[in-house]
Amino acid sequence: MTEVSGARRAALAALDRLLADAPPCTAQEGMDAVRCSVAWRDALVARRRAQGASPALDRDLALSNGVLGLTWSGVVPVSGFRRERLVKAREALLEAGG
């Protein structure tokens, strides 16, 4: 398993844990999901720096930024837990490549 694949799977597992529990999640669970999303994005950035651009990698990098934004806004919202944003972030992770 590559670093990118492992980070993506960890981010997906963190979102699955949040979505499986009745809201609201704990602050620690929410921040764990954000950290996993950041780790996936950082692994993609490292791969792009090492290997250069490719359409698939650039697509996944754009997706990772969207996942991070949705995850952050889903667990640290101005007004209440935003489950629908976490669901969208999870769907984007499933769409991403390895």
Side-chain angles (χ1 to χ4, degrees):
M1 177 179 340
T2 67
E3 181 182 355
V4 169
S5 179
R8 182 182 149 276
R9 288 178 189 198
L12 185 58
L15 284 171
D16 283 344
R17 283 190 300 275
L18 288 180
L19 292 169
D21 295 336
C25 64
T26 67
Q28 181 62 47
E29 291 168 325
M31 293 314 297
D32 285 347
V34 170
R35 276 193 279 288
C36 288
S37 295
V38 168
W40 178 50
R41 192 234 11 232
D42 289 351
L44 288 167
V45 168
R47 178 180 281 180
R48 190 172 192 278
R49 286 179 179 154
Q51 298 176 1
S54 74
L57 184 54
D58 288 347
R59 178 193 66 115
D60 285 350
L61 191 52
L63 268 172
S64 73
N65 286 320
V67 166
L68 179 55
L70 285 167
T71 302
W72 177 261
S73 66
V75 300
V76 188
V78 173
S79 61
F81 187 83
R82 305 289 298 267
R83 182 179 181 83
E84 72 280 359
R85 292 184 184 201
L86 298 175
V87 169
K88 286 181 184 180
R90 185 182 186 285
E91 290 168 355
L93 277 166
L94 290 172
E95 183 181 319

